[in-house]
mmCIF file of all heavy atoms in Angstrom:
data_model
loop_
_atom_site.group_PDB
_atom_site.id
_atom_site.type_symbol
_atom_site.label_atom_id
_atom_site.label_comp_id
_atom_site.label_asym_id
_atom_site.label_seq_id
_atom_site.Cartn_x
_atom_site.Cartn_y
_atom_site.Cartn_z
ATOM 1 N N THR A 277 -14.364 -23.037 13.565
ATOM 2 C CA THR A 277 -15.716 -22.552 13.831
ATOM 3 C C THR A 277 -15.699 -21.135 14.391
ATOM 4 O O THR A 277 -15.061 -20.885 15.417
ATOM 5 C CB THR A 277 -16.434 -23.472 14.823
ATOM 6 O OG1 THR A 277 -16.464 -24.802 14.289
ATOM 7 C CG2 THR A 277 -17.858 -23.000 15.072
ATOM 8 N N PRO A 278 -16.393 -20.205 13.731
ATOM 9 C CA PRO A 278 -16.416 -18.825 14.241
ATOM 10 C C PRO A 278 -17.237 -18.730 15.526
ATOM 11 O O PRO A 278 -17.983 -19.646 15.882
ATOM 12 C CB PRO A 278 -17.104 -18.047 13.109
ATOM 13 C CG PRO A 278 -17.064 -18.936 11.912
ATOM 14 C CD PRO A 278 -17.093 -20.331 12.449
ATOM 15 N N VAL A 279 -17.127 -17.602 16.191
ATOM 16 C CA VAL A 279 -17.923 -17.338 17.378
ATOM 17 C C VAL A 279 -19.400 -17.307 16.995
ATOM 18 O O VAL A 279 -19.754 -17.186 15.816
ATOM 19 C CB VAL A 279 -17.514 -16.006 18.034
ATOM 20 C CG1 VAL A 279 -16.079 -16.079 18.537
ATOM 21 C CG2 VAL A 279 -17.691 -14.836 17.064
ATOM 22 N N SER A 280 -20.268 -17.395 17.977
ATOM 23 C CA SER A 280 -21.710 -17.377 17.745
ATOM 24 C C SER A 280 -22.154 -16.012 17.233
ATOM 25 O O SER A 280 -21.420 -15.008 17.341
ATOM 26 C CB SER A 280 -22.454 -17.695 19.031
ATOM 27 O OG SER A 280 -22.296 -16.635 19.973
ATOM 28 N N GLY A 281 -23.381 -15.960 16.721
ATOM 29 C CA GLY A 281 -23.925 -14.693 16.263
ATOM 30 C C GLY A 281 -24.004 -13.671 17.379
ATOM 31 O O GLY A 281 -23.681 -12.495 17.189
ATOM 32 N N ALA A 282 -24.419 -14.124 18.568
ATOM 33 C CA ALA A 282 -24.538 -13.203 19.702
ATOM 34 C C ALA A 282 -23.176 -12.641 20.089
ATOM 35 O O ALA A 282 -23.033 -11.439 20.352
ATOM 36 C CB ALA A 282 -25.173 -13.923 20.893
ATOM 37 N N THR A 283 -22.160 -13.505 20.110
ATOM 38 C CA THR A 283 -20.817 -13.037 20.442
ATOM 39 C C THR A 283 -20.298 -12.099 19.368
ATOM 40 O O THR A 283 -19.668 -11.075 19.674
ATOM 41 C CB THR A 283 -19.866 -14.232 20.618
ATOM 42 O OG1 THR A 283 -20.330 -15.050 21.698
ATOM 43 C CG2 THR A 283 -18.449 -13.768 20.926
ATOM 44 N N ALA A 284 -20.553 -12.430 18.110
ATOM 45 C CA ALA A 284 -20.110 -11.559 17.020
ATOM 46 C C ALA A 284 -20.760 -10.183 17.116
ATOM 47 O O ALA A 284 -20.105 -9.161 16.878
ATOM 48 C CB ALA A 284 -20.421 -12.207 15.675
ATOM 49 N N ARG A 285 -22.032 -10.143 17.466
ATOM 50 C CA ARG A 285 -22.707 -8.847 17.621
ATOM 51 C C ARG A 285 -22.073 -8.035 18.760
ATOM 52 O O ARG A 285 -21.907 -6.818 18.657
ATOM 53 C CB ARG A 285 -24.207 -9.059 17.866
ATOM 54 C CG ARG A 285 -24.966 -9.523 16.628
ATOM 55 C CD ARG A 285 -26.470 -9.500 16.827
ATOM 56 N NE ARG A 285 -26.921 -10.554 17.717
ATOM 57 C CZ ARG A 285 -27.238 -11.794 17.327
ATOM 58 N NH1 ARG A 285 -27.131 -12.128 16.041
ATOM 59 N NH2 ARG A 285 -27.666 -12.684 18.196
ATOM 60 N N SER A 286 -21.726 -8.730 19.829
ATOM 61 C CA SER A 286 -21.064 -8.061 20.946
ATOM 62 C C SER A 286 -19.688 -7.537 20.531
ATOM 63 O O SER A 286 -19.314 -6.401 20.854
ATOM 64 C CB SER A 286 -20.919 -9.037 22.119
ATOM 65 O OG SER A 286 -20.175 -8.471 23.173
ATOM 66 N N TYR A 287 -18.931 -8.363 19.821
ATOM 67 C CA TYR A 287 -17.621 -7.942 19.334
ATOM 68 C C TYR A 287 -17.743 -6.725 18.414
ATOM 69 O O TYR A 287 -16.968 -5.766 18.524
ATOM 70 C CB TYR A 287 -16.944 -9.076 18.575
ATOM 71 C CG TYR A 287 -16.359 -10.191 19.405
ATOM 72 C CD1 TYR A 287 -15.774 -11.296 18.785
ATOM 73 C CD2 TYR A 287 -16.384 -10.168 20.795
ATOM 74 C CE1 TYR A 287 -15.220 -12.339 19.526
ATOM 75 C CE2 TYR A 287 -15.844 -11.209 21.538
ATOM 76 C CZ TYR A 287 -15.258 -12.292 20.898
ATOM 77 O OH TYR A 287 -14.720 -13.316 21.629
ATOM 78 N N LEU A 288 -18.709 -6.794 17.496
ATOM 79 C CA LEU A 288 -18.871 -5.722 16.523
ATOM 80 C C LEU A 288 -19.157 -4.394 17.221
ATOM 81 O O LEU A 288 -18.621 -3.349 16.830
ATOM 82 C CB LEU A 288 -19.990 -6.060 15.542
ATOM 83 C CG LEU A 288 -20.306 -5.007 14.477
ATOM 84 C CD1 LEU A 288 -19.093 -4.733 13.601
ATOM 85 C CD2 LEU A 288 -21.492 -5.471 13.611
ATOM 86 N N ALA A 289 -19.962 -4.442 18.263
ATOM 87 C CA ALA A 289 -20.325 -3.217 18.984
ATOM 88 C C ALA A 289 -19.102 -2.555 19.620
ATOM 89 O O ALA A 289 -19.101 -1.342 19.841
ATOM 90 C CB ALA A 289 -21.364 -3.532 20.055
ATOM 91 N N SER A 290 -18.068 -3.352 19.888
ATOM 92 C CA SER A 290 -16.881 -2.807 20.550
ATOM 93 C C SER A 290 -15.798 -2.347 19.579
ATOM 94 O O SER A 290 -14.812 -1.731 20.004
ATOM 95 C CB SER A 290 -16.292 -3.853 21.504
ATOM 96 O OG SER A 290 -15.653 -4.896 20.789
ATOM 97 N N LEU A 291 -15.952 -2.657 18.284
ATOM 98 C CA LEU A 291 -14.917 -2.295 17.325
ATOM 99 C C LEU A 291 -14.920 -0.791 17.053
ATOM 100 O O LEU A 291 -15.973 -0.155 16.962
ATOM 101 C CB LEU A 291 -15.121 -3.051 16.010
ATOM 102 C CG LEU A 291 -14.947 -4.567 16.053
ATOM 103 C CD1 LEU A 291 -15.142 -5.151 14.657
ATOM 104 C CD2 LEU A 291 -13.577 -4.950 16.610
ATOM 105 N N THR A 292 -13.743 -0.245 16.891
ATOM 106 C CA THR A 292 -13.597 1.166 16.556
ATOM 107 C C THR A 292 -14.085 1.410 15.136
ATOM 108 O O THR A 292 -13.760 0.647 14.212
ATOM 109 C CB THR A 292 -12.125 1.593 16.658
ATOM 110 O OG1 THR A 292 -11.688 1.413 18.010
ATOM 111 C CG2 THR A 292 -11.931 3.045 16.234
ATOM 112 N N VAL A 293 -14.879 2.441 14.952
ATOM 113 C CA VAL A 293 -15.324 2.839 13.616
ATOM 114 C C VAL A 293 -14.409 3.955 13.130
ATOM 115 O O VAL A 293 -14.256 4.973 13.803
ATOM 116 C CB VAL A 293 -16.789 3.308 13.632
ATOM 117 C CG1 VAL A 293 -17.214 3.761 12.229
ATOM 118 C CG2 VAL A 293 -17.706 2.196 14.139
ATOM 119 N N ALA A 294 -13.772 3.728 12.000
ATOM 120 C CA ALA A 294 -12.811 4.707 11.493
ATOM 121 C C ALA A 294 -12.753 4.650 9.974
ATOM 122 O O ALA A 294 -13.007 3.598 9.370
ATOM 123 C CB ALA A 294 -11.424 4.443 12.077
ATOM 124 N N THR A 295 -12.400 5.768 9.366
ATOM 125 C CA THR A 295 -12.180 5.816 7.922
ATOM 126 C C THR A 295 -10.924 5.026 7.598
ATOM 127 O O THR A 295 -9.919 5.128 8.307
ATOM 128 C CB THR A 295 -12.028 7.268 7.449
ATOM 129 O OG1 THR A 295 -13.216 7.988 7.794
ATOM 130 C CG2 THR A 295 -11.809 7.330 5.940
ATOM 131 N N GLU A 296 -10.972 4.238 6.540
ATOM 132 C CA GLU A 296 -9.822 3.412 6.190
ATOM 133 C C GLU A 296 -8.665 4.257 5.665
ATOM 134 O O GLU A 296 -8.863 5.245 4.971
ATOM 135 C CB GLU A 296 -10.219 2.377 5.127
ATOM 136 C CG GLU A 296 -11.177 1.322 5.651
ATOM 137 C CD GLU A 296 -11.463 0.242 4.618
ATOM 138 O OE1 GLU A 296 -11.057 0.407 3.447
ATOM 139 O OE2 GLU A 296 -12.098 -0.759 4.981
ATOM 140 N N ASP A 297 -7.461 3.812 6.014
ATOM 141 C CA ASP A 297 -6.234 4.443 5.512
ATOM 142 C C ASP A 297 -5.832 3.736 4.227
ATOM 143 O O ASP A 297 -5.245 2.663 4.266
ATOM 144 C CB ASP A 297 -5.121 4.312 6.552
ATOM 145 C CG ASP A 297 -3.774 4.766 6.002
ATOM 146 O OD1 ASP A 297 -3.760 5.471 4.983
ATOM 147 O OD2 ASP A 297 -2.747 4.396 6.604
#
Side-chain angles (χ1 to χ4, degrees):
T277 302
V279 296
S280 68
T283 299
R285 288 190 288 272
S286 175
Y287 284 177
L288 178 60
S290 73
L291 294 182
T292 298
V293 178
T295 301
E296 292 185 351
D297 172 18

